[in-house]
Amino acid sequence: MREALDLLRDRPLVVLTGAGLSTDSGIPDYRGPGSPARMPMTYQEFVSGPDARQRYWARSHLGWGRMRRADPNAGHHALVRVHPDLLITQNVDGLHERAGSPRLVALHGRIADVICLGCRATSPRQALQQRLTELNPGFAERHAAVEVRPDGDVELDETAGFVVPDCRECGGILKPDVVFFGENVPAPRVERCYAAVDALAERGGALLVAGSSLTVMSGFRFVRRAAKAGTPVVIVNRGATRGDELATYTVDAGCSEFLGLLADQQTAPMPSR
């Protein structure tokens, strides 16, 4: 761990975070040690018909009701102090925003936002949550014991009869404003991230990955791009990742612990010579 921290000291940084960063906030990980196998709903399934959307929104109604009460943890707050050139997060929980990270790209969007697939109007998730509660009285109370999964999902099969409202503006289909499997990350987000990663090579910077297995290409591509340019890559994660062979250092440790040490050394005065 010390070698990785020394490499990152006083360098320009781009940080890429994944679900492992939010586990200390009580949000389950996707692929960390002990994580159950899961098949998240794809975009194609979501738009396939009302039954799929009923299943999605019933589960999400319960899961987001809990996720929204999660608070940023020590790792989120440490990254505010690290103050990277750009923070790229694959998480949709909004905890980096709540912690106060200023230079941020939410690669996959935010679960707290809702978009209409018809008129493209966006609205706060809280407003939809209230409508779902009113249309489905007692639903949350009847399923209070269900197990929470990542991204505001839960383990629940009994979704028949759950009422899903349409867009108030046009009657269109409402979807969380996040990138589902089967969708592409909007090009402007990707280009902003590429530009920040490319700049590291010119400035002697490094790419730090925290809490991601890099299984999904949307995050892994930035590691490949940095490594190809000769930029050092440090990966901090519980367990192996897809990018380990490209990394300068891999650290099997908790994100909060490592990021706290990094923040401390970034803000500590340099020793006198």
Side-chain angles (χ1 to χ4, degrees):
M1 182 184 295
R2 175 46 54 190
E3 292 86 353
L5 288 167
D6 288 343
L7 184 147
L8 297 172
R9 179 190 289 273
D10 301 321
R11 289 178 183 261
L13 297 178
V14 169
V15 179
L16 171 68
T17 68
L21 185 66
S22 292
T23 55
D24 285 349
S25 295
I27 298 174
D29 198 352
Y30 284 106
R31 304 175 181 90
S35 297
R38 64 183 300 268
M39 290 294 292
M41 184 173 288
T42 66
Y43 177 78
Q44 290 75 15
E45 185 180 0
F46 183 83
V47 299
S48 67
D51 288 348
R53 290 191 290 276
Q54 180 186 65
R55 188 165 64 254
Y56 176 85
W57 281 116
R59 294 173 174 177
S60 185
H61 177 58
L62 299 174
W64 190 75
R66 302 182 192 183
M67 176 181 279
R68 63 178 173 170
R69 293 193 289 270
D71 291 319
N73 61 51
H76 295 103
H77 291 299
L79 278 173
V80 177
R81 291 196 289 143
V82 171
H83 202 62
D85 288 357
L86 187 65
L87 173 56
I88 307 167
T89 185
Q90 300 170 94
N91 300 337
V92 300
D93 52 38
L95 294 180
H96 284 300
E97 293 92 327
R98 288 177 53 196
S101 288
R103 295 192 289 265
L104 173 71
V105 172
L107 199 63
H108 299 152
R110 296 174 65 249
I111 199 72
D113 299 324
V114 176
I115 189 168
C116 172
L117 298 183
C119 66
R120 309 304 294 180
T122 58
S123 57
R125 175 63 182 269
Q126 179 58 41
L128 178 61
Q129 191 76 356
Q130 183 61 37
R131 293 177 69 191
L132 290 170
T133 299
E134 293 170 355
L135 290 168
N136 300 277
F139 184 82
E141 291 75 12
R142 290 195 302 274
H143 301 287
V146 293
E147 181 182 349
V148 177
R149 302 194 301 187
D151 287 354
D153 200 1
V154 299
E155 294 282 356
L156 180 67
D157 294 323
E158 303 171 19
T159 60
F162 189 83
V163 180
V164 179
D166 295 324
C167 173
R168 279 179 162 157
E169 301 296 326
C170 73
I173 295 170
L174 295 175
K175 171 185 170 292
D177 197 7
V178 299
V179 178
F180 278 34
F181 284 90
E183 283 189 284
N184 293 321
V185 177
R189 292 182 201 169
V190 177
E191 291 306 317
R192 183 182 176 191
C193 297
Y194 275 152
V197 171
D198 291 346
L200 294 174
E202 303 169 4
R203 302 175 57 216
L207 175 66
L208 169 62
V209 180
S212 176
S213 64
L214 299 171
T215 302
V216 179
M217 180 56 72
S218 62
F220 180 55
R221 58 183 150 190
F222 303 120
V223 172
R224 291 204 309 184
R225 193 167 180 113
K228 184 176 181 180
T231 297
V233 176
V234 172
I235 299 176
V236 181
N237 192 62
R238 292 290 191 191
T241 83
R242 187 181 182 184
D244 286 354
E245 292 185 358
L246 300 176
T248 310
Y249 292 111
T250 60
V251 181
D252 194 329
C255 294
S256 293
E257 174 192 5
F258 183 90
L259 293 172
L261 293 171
L262 177 62
D264 288 344
Q265 79 170 17
Q266 297 287 81
T267 56
M270 294 292 292
S272 57
R273 296 183 181 276

